Amino acid sequence: MRRIFTLVIVFTLVATFAQAQISVNKILCENRTNPMGLDNTQPRFTWELASAGHNVSQTAYQVRVSTYPDFRKPIWNSGKVVSDSSVHIAYKGTALTSHTKYYWQVKVWDNSKKASAWSETGYWISSLFNTTEWQAKWIGPGFKEDSLRASPMFRKVFSSTKKVSSAIAYITAHGLYEAQINGHRVGDAYLTPGWTSYGKRLQYQAYDVTDLLATGNNVVGVTLGSGWYRGLIGFSNNQNFYGKDVALLFQLHVTYTDGTSAVISSDGSWKSSTGEITYAEIYNGETIDARKIKKGWALNGYNDAGWNSAQVMDYGFKNLLATYNEPVRKHETFKTLRVLKTKKNEHLVDFGQNLVGWVKIRLKGKKGQKVTISHAEVLDKDGDFYTENLRAAKAQDTYILSGEGVELFEPHFTFHGFQFIKVEGYNNDLNPDDFTAVALYSDMNPTGSFSSSNALVNQLQHNIQWGQKGNFLDVPTDCPQRDERLGWTGDAQVFSRTASFNMNVDNFFAKWLKDITADQTEKGAVPFVIPNVLGKGAAGSAGWGEAATVIPWNMYVAYGDKQVLKDQYGSMKAWVDYMKSQTKDDLWNTGFHFGDWLFYSVNDDTDGTSAVTDKYLIAQCFYAYSTQLLINAAQVLGKTDDYEAYGKNLKRIKDAFVREYVTSNGRMVSGTQTAYVLALNFDMLPVDLRPQAASRLVDNITKYNNHLTTGFLGTPYLCHVLSEFGYTDEAYKLLLQDTYPSWLYPVKMGATTIWERWDGIKPDKTFETPTMNSFNHYSYGAIGDWMYRVMVGLDTYNDGPGYKHIKIMPHPGGGFTNASASLQTYYGTVSSAWAIGGDQLNFDIEIPVNTTASVFIPAKDAASVMDGGKPLKNGKPYQPAKSKENYIMVELGSGKYHYTVTN
Ligand code: BGC
């Protein structure tokens, strides 16, 4: 009995110790798990820590890196570094070499001096650091292309007689590529190499293909599509924007177990031909003629005697770089929700979700039978298939059957935005099981969740997330379905902070921001779209150019990485200097601007109810905001001269604003919501004029019967400004409004994504003009930022960006009985949840290890708060300066906390 008792005690002690032990939960290198092909010579390491209990932080770390998995001969051993930094720690060992696999580990010490075990072993593979390391040659098809520009295929047989220890392939293309080795697809990325400003920056991908190689003869097969490179892109059916010929660059490094190696490269010895993909365009869709399949063409033994030698092209290697962002991959799949036959006798499939990707199809029929699949986002008021809003994009995949048994079809080099498909040329009775919709988007980690007691608001959150999934396809696009799908800068900047909650968009934006830098004009103007396919003159609009300043700053705040500011500083400054160069007497009142795009306006506006905001007033606000963000960046990076110089300029910009656009009583020349929102959000008004401006904003909202009237530029800040000035109730009224214009109106109309316009579908079920009516446009989804940061209250302080110093200040209200959100930060999960029952508020939060949080408990005094069932200690009363709500503030370390407030 005594023995058992002792055992129990020992066991309990071990368990307690084990619980308190700090451990490394997750490790990342350049924000990715075991990245392939990094051309970064000083990669950065991030680790997430775990420890039960409270107030655990890191006091020291040690990182080791080796080319051996057992860490023999480390090339870097940091030793024990006294530091609480656990994110973005840069490698500082001996110089790295190209094309090498590196292993790394980290261990940490916590604030009770306990050490963790070494973390799991992570690795990365360096890519080709120098463009001179490309031995491969660019190759194009060795035949004249047909008028439809059928997808060329390339084939190479090589022999590998020794045992392979590793094989890494580096591949890119002018156009899009899909590669196979011995008939197996290389990797699971789609639409590679993705879209960048190709002339200056073309990403290549690295793949570990060790398992695909066989002893003896091996075959590489690669198919190319026109893609963004030379396909239709931009308006007016532009083709060949980057060049008229597709081309392939392929270099495979094979290392054998005996230490020898070989390189297999694209060159004139490769063979080229065409096969079943007879047409492929992003906007128009793909045609596959199964009668033209060249069976076994990527396998050994195929007779390629009829193929032409590939043509070597002289494109050079200067613009090549390794891929930094996550590739596009397949994600959710959707089964048929219902098959429909319309009055027009059309056969439709409804997948129940507006998504971006394509449909996989199983067909059986006669040889030569032609089946077309058209895509649509919505049905019209009669229930008919509606494609007018796709404008010139045909969005149609065509399959010509071989007649050989059950045939499977799936496109390769296109994508569609759709919820419905129309099937033509097939059976009258569609089998629901024959159709599967596949969502394709950049493979960013999902990081955020939000939910509340209101089902419509939860659907809004769903729509915001699907707006993001549908439009984060290697670049942030405006819309995914019509003949546009461009990286509109304004849309991306207004949504960027919301995006950083839903998914980890750190690398996604880091890559795209470099394309901004690449495409900025010599004078610093930021193009309307990035990559810029609209021409040099299409640049310089206020609110759009802000992508160059707002996104780097938002990413810095969301992920705490100074590198993005370092990398983008020149671009940020160039944009601010561009605006300055356009001013006279500190006023930016020249040039073309989109203004508060798609604001509320009425057709026959006899009494002036349309919410028109002076475009130059808007321009001045964004000029000030960008200048402020540049000042912030200068401060973070220690650029004192800029900090001071731009600080002085900012004062002049604001003075000029007040002189030009504000009466001495504080009325603005445009009395719109957007005008007041921008002026207040960017601190454009003297302090004493701000409260009256906020109340004018509220009056305006009341005048519209609690409706918003803002367009792309005012919408993101509307509820933030209301809450900041103590009008959270009004913010809730806007959030919960469900008649046009409002966020919930589309939800009530059955939307599964965010619409481009507040009234894409009108109450009588007719549509807005088809020339501009996308049903998958994320901009207005920017309300998500307020839902996370204000409603649930998850935020980070700028002095500890990336949630090193967390701010949690929820705003219960609006008749909601609960709301909760969580976010996967680089430190771990932070969450906040409030729930109201009777006169009690329950408040649950989670703070990750190695962070601190200032938490604001909504309560009138400390005495009404219980902390885990006990009276709260150390709570301080707090009132936000402008809004005067009552909170009790506590400073917390890591752990889970439960508060109850009796009011
Ligand atoms: C796009 C937008 C974009 C706008 C510029 C539209 O065609 O779809 O979202 O920002 O043009 O005004």
Side-chain angles (χ1 to χ4, degrees), residues 19 64 66 247 332 343 346 370-371 416 496 748 827 832 903:
Q19 245 199 2
R64 61 181 182 180
S66 170
E332 295 87 343
K343 278 178 246 136
E346 293 173 332
K370 187 170 156 185
V371 178
H416 309 292
S496 55
K748 278 219 146 171
Y827 297 96
S832 164
N903 274 318

Side-chain angles (χ1 to χ4, degrees), residues 478 482 484 488 491 544 594 597 712 756 772 777:
D478 57 332
R482 66 187 181 213
E484 194 152 358
W488 279 96
D491 308 41
W544 271 250
F594 291 108
W597 192 248
F712 278 23
E756 177 173 27
M772 226 181 58
H777 232 79

Side-chain angles (χ1 to χ4, degrees), residues 267-448:
D267 60 22
S269 70
W270 288 46
K271 293 294 183 66
S272 64
S273 184
T274 54
E276 72 273 22
I277 305 177
T278 59
Y279 178 82
E281 282 281 351
I282 288 174
Y283 293 163
N284 288 345
E286 186 162 318
T287 302
I288 299 181
D289 186 343
R291 297 169 303 181
K292 297 193 171 169
I293 292 177
K294 293 196 162 135
K295 271 200 197 122
W297 71 275
L299 294 176
N300 188 27
Y302 175 83
N303 180 1
D304 61 14
W307 290 42
N308 300 76
S309 293
Q311 201 186 336
V312 173
M313 316 293 272
D314 187 19
Y315 294 132
F317 308 100
K318 285 215 182 80
N319 56 345
L320 294 177
L321 43 120
T323 302
Y324 193 66
N325 57 323
E326 300 82 1
V328 171
R329 291 204 168 94
K330 289 183 172 176
H331 294 273
E332 295 87 343
T333 54
F334 292 85
K335 293 198 178 316
T336 301
L337 181 68
R338 53 188 181 139
V339 290
L340 302 160
K341 203 187 281 179
T342 67
K343 278 178 246 136
K344 291 186 180 161
N345 208 20
E346 293 173 332
H347 297 274
L348 311 186
V349 178
D350 176 2
F351 294 102
Q353 171 65 48
N354 192 354
L355 72 134
V356 175
W358 55 52
V359 180
K360 284 203 292 197
I361 290 178
R362 201 164 60 185
L363 300 172
K364 191 169 174 357
K366 289 199 288 290
K367 181 172 183 180
Q369 186 176 343
K370 187 170 156 185
V371 178
T372 61
I373 308 295
S374 307
H375 299 75
E377 293 183 287
V378 287
L379 304 182
D380 69 14
K381 65 177 180 6
D382 301 318
D384 286 323
F385 200 66
Y386 179 79
T387 55
E388 258 184 276
N389 68 324
L390 308 187
R391 305 192 308 215
K394 284 202 193 69
Q396 199 172 64
D397 297 326
T398 303
Y399 303 122
I400 302 170
L401 277 64
S402 69
E404 292 172 25
V406 174
E407 302 179 54
L408 298 176
F409 289 100
E410 179 173 12
H412 307 255
F413 301 125
T414 188
F415 61 90
H416 309 292
F418 65 99
Q419 175 176 336
F420 301 89
I421 54 168
K422 177 170 77 181
V423 183
E424 288 169 293
Y426 201 54
N427 302 344
N428 279 343
D429 289 314
L430 299 181
N431 176 0
D433 295 338
D434 288 344
F435 305 90
T436 308
V438 184
L440 291 167
Y441 51 88
S442 287
D443 195 16
M444 307 155 292
N445 259 345
T447 47

Side-chain angles (χ1 to χ4, degrees), residues 32-60:
R32 290 191 278 163
T33 305
N34 301 336
M36 287 287 303
L38 280 189
D39 60 7
N40 197 321
T41 53
Q42 270 196 304
R44 282 111 25 92
F45 308 111
T46 293
W47 50 91
E48 181 188 306
L49 302 173
S51 174
H54 289 103
N55 304 318
V56 182
S57 57
Q58 173 191 298
T59 52

Side-chain angles (χ1 to χ4, degrees), residues 520-521 523-525 569-579 630:
Q520 244 166 310
T521 68
K523 289 173 100 187
Y569 192 78
S571 158
M572 295 172 83
K573 191 166 163 175
W575 169 240
V576 171
D577 289 347
Y578 168 79
M579 291 188 276
L630 183 66

Side-chain angles (χ1 to χ4, degrees), residues 188-191 193-195 203 228 323-332 356 439-446 465 468-477 502-509 511-512:
D188 55 1
Y190 287 82
L191 302 164
W195 192 11
Q203 298 197 136
W228 297 282
T323 302
Y324 193 66
N325 57 323
E326 300 82 1
V328 171
R329 291 204 168 94
K330 289 183 172 176
H331 294 273
E332 295 87 343
V356 175
L440 291 167
Y441 51 88
S442 287
D443 195 16
M444 307 155 292
N445 259 345
Q465 285 182 321
Q468 182 165 353
K469 289 174 181 181
N471 284 295
F472 277 51
L473 194 131
D474 211 57
V475 303
T477 58
N502 293 326
M503 295 179 188
N504 184 318
V505 292
D506 199 355
N507 291 14
F508 177 86
F509 275 124
K511 168 251 190 190
W512 187 69

